[in-house]
Amino acid sequence: MTDAATAIAQRLLAMRAQRQRARPLVRRHRFAAAALAVWLGGLITSPVAAISDPLSLEEALETAASHPRVTASADLNARLPRRQSLFLDCQRLAFSNSNVADPNRNQPLLHLLEPQDAQRLEIMERFFDVLLADATFATDSEAMAVAYIQFDRAAVRHELGQMSPLRVLELESIYQDILHRRAASETSQQLTRALLAQALGNPQDLPRTLIIPALPVWPTEPPSLERILDLAAQRPPLRALLDGRSTADRQLVQWELRQQTLELLLRLRAFTAAERNLRTETRLRDLKLDESRTLYEQEVTADLGYSMSLQSQTRLQTERLRYCRALTWAELNALIGGPILGTAAGVSAP
């Protein structure tokens, strides 16, 4: 291994050890986004409060009441639909065996929610998407370093006549592909922040530092379908939607509410199975990393970076699952008028 490759491996090991010791709750990412902020700022003429730095999820949710979508007409809201998230895709995470991608299933039934609750759900989704974008960039950076080490080693062996030029080109192609993926991840960090800033009602001020939230401990058993339907039927949004409607219209609305609620409950059940799988995968990756670290220190093998990369990917999926579970509970709470960031008393019991 060359000096450059050895230095990269040592830096990777030092960075990972530092993260495991400290486990910081705040991730800081600074971007050269001045041009983007100026361009977005030109679209807004009314004064708005600056976004906190660092920004907590609780602070972000407090901005929902003043967002234009809360008071905008239903027609305009329908003409300007909310954009999909880049990293969450909770429906696909829950039903991973599905062969059909349907991003619309990630969207709540906005006409059955209070406007402020609908905006709070969007803020939560955008907030989590930024955190996942940051984690994805970190994972891709580790993978890039691993690919570089493998490519660099191959180039040295080729110079010694121990490896074919074809294999060197294959490893260089892998490295360039991961390098491109890392660049896309860095761009996604800016895009997810732009979407969060707009959800906060301040699109000219991209948030820089997000505080990783301490989410509630959710009930182990999902609530019953009929319990949620009974509570949702008492809420003003549903009553207003059904008022003056024909029998057919009322039936369609009730069926849609039932279907949406059922899918949310099934999603929670699927998350439980996914969590068990990820728990086992995390233990495996941790043990593999310990083994690779020991062998690396004994100069027996050099796959430490690869093991670190796999561990990071597993932890990324774990965070994605945690955020998707929080969003699912938040939507269930919003349907019955409960707190978005917490467990409503009416939903906690099956």
Side-chain angles (χ1 to χ4, degrees):
M1 184 183 298
T2 65
D3 293 341
T6 301
I8 290 178
Q10 291 174 344
R11 285 201 301 273
L12 278 172
L13 183 59
M15 290 168 60
R16 175 57 60 84
Q18 183 179 8
R19 285 199 300 270
Q20 290 180 340
R21 288 195 303 268
R23 295 191 180 279
L25 293 180
V26 179
R27 294 178 181 172
R28 298 181 178 273
H29 296 275
R30 301 289 178 177
F31 304 100
L36 177 61
V38 170
W39 180 78
L40 289 171
L43 302 178
I44 300 296
T45 56
S46 58
V48 290
I51 295 178
S52 300
D53 185 24
L55 177 67
S56 69
L57 179 57
E58 291 79 6
E59 290 176 311
L61 292 174
E62 290 175 358
T63 66
S66 59
H67 197 279
R69 276 195 182 272
V70 174
T71 55
S73 66
D75 176 68
L76 188 59
N77 271 320
R79 291 174 180 270
L80 299 174
R82 291 170 166 84
R83 290 177 170 84
Q84 298 291 337
S85 59
L86 271 69
F87 295 95
L88 281 169
D89 197 359
C90 297
Q91 186 74 7
R92 178 61 68 90
L93 177 63
F95 304 102
S96 57
N97 61 335
S98 175
N99 294 324
V100 179
D102 187 2
N104 290 327
R105 290 186 178 274
N106 288 308
Q107 295 295 325
L109 293 179
L110 299 178
H111 51 278
L112 299 180
L113 304 176
E114 295 284 0
Q116 284 192 35
D117 285 340
Q119 190 58 35
R120 291 189 185 100
L121 287 176
E122 181 173 8
I123 290 172
M124 280 187 70
E125 181 178 354
R126 303 303 182 198
F127 195 97
F128 293 155
D129 220 29
V130 170
L131 293 176
L132 288 177
D134 291 349
T136 300
F137 176 75
T139 299
D140 288 343
S141 295
E142 286 189 355
M144 181 198 67
V146 172
Y148 171 77
I149 292 172
Q150 294 174 337
F151 164 59
D152 182 75
R153 270 207 320 250
V156 173
R157 293 183 62 187
H158 171 63
E159 292 176 357
L160 299 174
Q162 298 175 353
M163 182 167 290
S164 69
L166 175 60
R167 180 56 180 162
V168 175
L169 283 175
E170 288 175 346
L171 291 174
E172 183 180 8
S173 176
I174 293 173
Y175 167 67
Q176 292 295 338
D177 180 68
I178 296 177
L179 187 63
H180 174 257
R181 194 172 69 203
R182 179 182 179 274
S185 297
E186 188 172 16
T187 303
S188 297
Q189 288 181 294
Q190 295 187 22
L191 178 55
T192 54
R193 278 170 166 77
L195 291 171
L196 173 59
Q198 183 164 319
L200 296 173
N202 196 351
Q204 74 273 25
D205 187 7
L206 271 62
R208 295 173 178 267
T209 307
L210 301 188
I211 300 175
I212 300 176
L215 298 174
V217 178
W218 312 109
T220 55
E221 292 294 330
S224 69
L225 174 62
E226 298 303 326
R227 172 70 169 167
I228 295 180
L229 293 178
D230 289 343
L231 293 171
Q234 304 170 27
R235 299 291 302 152
L238 183 59
R239 292 205 305 266
L241 187 61
L242 296 178
D243 186 39
R245 299 277 186 176
S246 66
T247 301
D249 287 348
R250 293 170 64 89
Q251 194 171 45
L252 287 176
V253 171
Q254 290 168 349
W255 285 357
E256 191 65 22
L257 171 61
R258 173 177 286 271
Q259 181 64 31
Q260 180 75 0
T261 305
L262 177 61
E263 290 192 16
L264 291 174
L265 292 175
L266 291 176
R267 189 184 294 177
L268 287 176
R269 186 183 303 173
F271 287 159
T272 300
E275 185 178 33
R276 287 196 297 266
N277 177 49
L278 279 172
R279 237 187 268 125
T280 302
E281 183 75 11
T282 299
R283 289 198 299 268
L284 172 63
R285 296 305 175 195
D286 287 345
L287 290 175
K288 283 286 188 181
L289 179 61
D290 290 341
E291 180 185 56
S292 296
R293 182 183 290 113
T294 301
L295 294 174
Y296 178 82
E297 292 172 352
Q298 296 174 354
E299 298 184 355
V300 175
T301 186
D303 66 346
L304 174 61
Y306 180 70
S307 297
M308 292 168 61
S309 179
L310 290 178
Q311 187 195 52
S312 295
Q313 293 175 22
T314 303
R315 290 184 174 177
L316 176 61
Q317 282 296 90
T318 301
E319 287 301 292
R320 183 184 170 204
L321 176 62
R322 191 168 76 99
Y323 297 150
C324 280
R325 177 182 278 117
L327 272 176
T328 303
W329 273 104
E331 186 174 347
L332 286 172
N333 283 336
L335 283 172
I336 66 166
I340 293 294
L341 194 61
T343 303
V347 175
S348 60

